[in-house]
Amino acid sequence: MLAEKEEKADTREFFDVVKGVTYTMNFPELARKLCLGVGIPGWLFTVDANGNMNLFHLNSRSIIELPHMDTLKGFNLDKHHGYLERYVDKAVLSSDPHTTDGYILMINQLGPRTLAYWKPGKKGFISVETRKAAYADVTWHDGQFYGVDVRGNAIVFDFRGGMKPTIGKVFQGVPSESICGMRLYIVHSSGELFVITRDGIETNPETKLYGVEEFIVGKVDVDNESYEKVDDLGNRSLFLGFSVSLVVEQYGCKANHIYFTDDCTLTFDSSEKGGEKDMGVYNLFDNTIEPHYAGESYHRFSPLIWIFNTPNFSD
């Protein structure tokens, strides 16, 4: 889903990276809101400038009202006023709200950079008190959330025993020498846990530009607390950005490639246009980059996100 156009805030454009076709649909429900992909097809997390947060489904247009941002521990309206749309940078759903009431929503707060979760029926979000450093990414698999922080620590939150999670593991998931100045992502696929580092998120002092220089994929063994660099993902492709980090083995995507969008918030925040300069398709075999969208799609707080169950377009 392309970034919002300020002059046409009620409409959103969807670019198909396989077909190379752009579709347009009217979505006033998304106007002037940050939108994040949550890992469940069709669902988005949204937040507006007043701190109102929702889950929204693109096909059914169902809206689930979430507790207000002021229920988040550490949130301070006076301190964070003016950038509430950017206060959450990751949101992950455990399951589809259309099929169960037993789902869990986990979010990453940009203020204290801590995780907080919510379940239907609860009046507010509950903070996860395990923070050793600011969280970079979080994912879900089979009753557990897996997080990675900016120091490379991998953290496992086990929800299989009830409402409150138990902390299954906290260990150095990525070698500390491999993460300086990097953006980190975490994703689960076919019984394997991967942590990906993204180099090039900071402005180069010589060129005054930023952009991906290299991605490194590592497989993390939770039981043995080990890390192994991976150069071949088989038929799988990675999708990284403001949405939940995902592994895909279908949709006609290029295997062993990383499809990425611009989530270098601290860098593009000083740009007049906003984010989406840094996007493309990265080849893990030869470290080359090719474009996936040739047009411009900049925005200050709601840039491109990945969607894997697009609205019902009429051709």
Side-chain angles (χ1 to χ4, degrees):
M1 184 170 76
L2 299 180
E4 175 182 293
K5 294 182 177 180
E6 294 187 8
E7 69 277 11
K8 297 180 179 179
D10 286 350
T11 63
R12 299 305 291 260
E13 293 180 326
F14 298 81
F15 177 72
D16 189 320
V17 296
V18 176
K19 298 179 180 178
V21 178
T22 301
Y23 303 91
T24 302
M25 287 193 70
N26 192 42
F27 279 108
E29 302 93 337
L30 304 180
R32 298 175 181 85
K33 295 180 180 179
L34 167 70
C35 298
L36 301 175
V38 295
I40 301 297
W43 286 99
L44 300 177
F45 170 90
T46 70
V47 58
D48 66 18
N50 296 313
N52 299 304
M53 300 186 291
N54 295 306
L55 290 172
F56 176 74
H57 194 268
L58 289 168
N59 285 324
S60 68
R61 299 186 183 247
S62 301
I63 296 177
I64 299 174
E65 294 186 6
L66 302 171
H68 191 271
M69 195 174 282
D70 60 15
T71 67
L72 292 167
K73 186 176 181 179
F75 175 78
N76 185 313
L77 181 59
D78 292 333
K79 179 180 179 181
H80 300 117
H81 181 72
Y83 68 97
L84 300 191
E85 306 99 322
R86 294 173 288 175
Y87 187 73
V88 176
D89 74 341
K90 286 285 181 176
V92 185
L93 269 177
S94 64
S95 49
D96 192 337
H98 277 157
T99 61
T100 178
D101 290 331
Y103 62 89
I104 307 166
L105 174 68
M106 183 78 80
I107 65 173
N108 187 27
Q109 303 174 230
L110 275 181
R113 293 305 294 267
T114 56
L115 299 178
Y117 67 93
W118 175 81
K119 286 187 173 183
K122 296 298 177 180
K123 294 182 178 180
F125 281 83
I126 302 171
S127 293
V128 179
E129 306 292 346
T130 61
R131 182 178 183 270
K132 299 183 70 174
Y135 284 97
D137 199 9
V138 62
T139 191
W140 166 269
H141 176 71
D142 193 25
Q144 299 183 109
F145 283 98
Y146 298 83
V148 63
D149 66 24
V150 296
R151 295 179 183 172
N153 295 303
I155 305 96
V156 183
F157 312 98
D158 192 341
F159 279 84
R160 293 174 295 186
M163 174 62 187
K164 294 184 178 180
T166 57
I167 310 304
K169 287 274 188 176
V170 180
F171 64 98
Q172 187 71 38
V174 183
S176 56
E177 64 270 16
S178 303
I179 60 176
C180 182
M182 304 285 191
R183 180 80 164 89
L184 277 72
Y185 309 87
I186 190 167
V187 63
H188 199 285
S189 171
S190 302
E192 297 177 310
L193 187 66
F194 297 99
V195 174
I196 303 96
T197 57
R198 174 181 187 159
D199 191 11
I201 65 172
E202 298 177 348
T203 301
N204 185 301
E206 295 182 1
T207 65
K208 308 300 181 183
L209 300 173
Y210 72 97
V212 164
E213 297 178 6
E214 183 183 27
F215 281 103
I216 297 176
V217 180
K219 183 166 65 175
V220 176
D221 188 321
V222 174
D223 295 329
N224 296 316
E225 300 185 6
S226 63
Y227 172 90
E228 176 187 358
K229 188 173 180 291
V230 175
D231 296 316
D232 189 349
L233 291 171
N235 294 324
R236 293 173 289 192
S237 307
L238 287 170
F239 283 78
L240 308 177
F242 273 109
S243 300
V244 172
S245 303
L246 292 173
V247 176
V248 174
E249 298 183 58
Q250 51 184 328
Y251 294 102
C253 301
K254 296 181 179 180
N256 264 304
H257 284 67
I258 297 176
Y259 292 73
F260 65 96
T261 59
D262 193 346
D263 60 355
C264 305
T265 312
L266 294 179
T267 304
F268 73 59
D269 197 37
S270 59
S271 168
E272 182 179 348
K273 289 184 177 181
E276 286 322 317
K277 168 197 171 295
D278 189 23
M279 59 181 179
V281 186
Y282 181 89
N283 189 326
L284 282 171
F285 284 140
D286 59 17
N287 301 326
T288 57
I289 299 173
E290 60 185 75
H292 52 60
Y293 178 67
E296 288 193 353
S297 188
Y298 291 90
H299 202 278
R300 298 284 297 176
F301 62 82
S302 191
L304 282 73
I305 60 173
W306 298 112
I307 302 292
F308 290 94
N309 186 17
T310 53
N312 298 316
F313 300 120
S314 56
D315 295 327

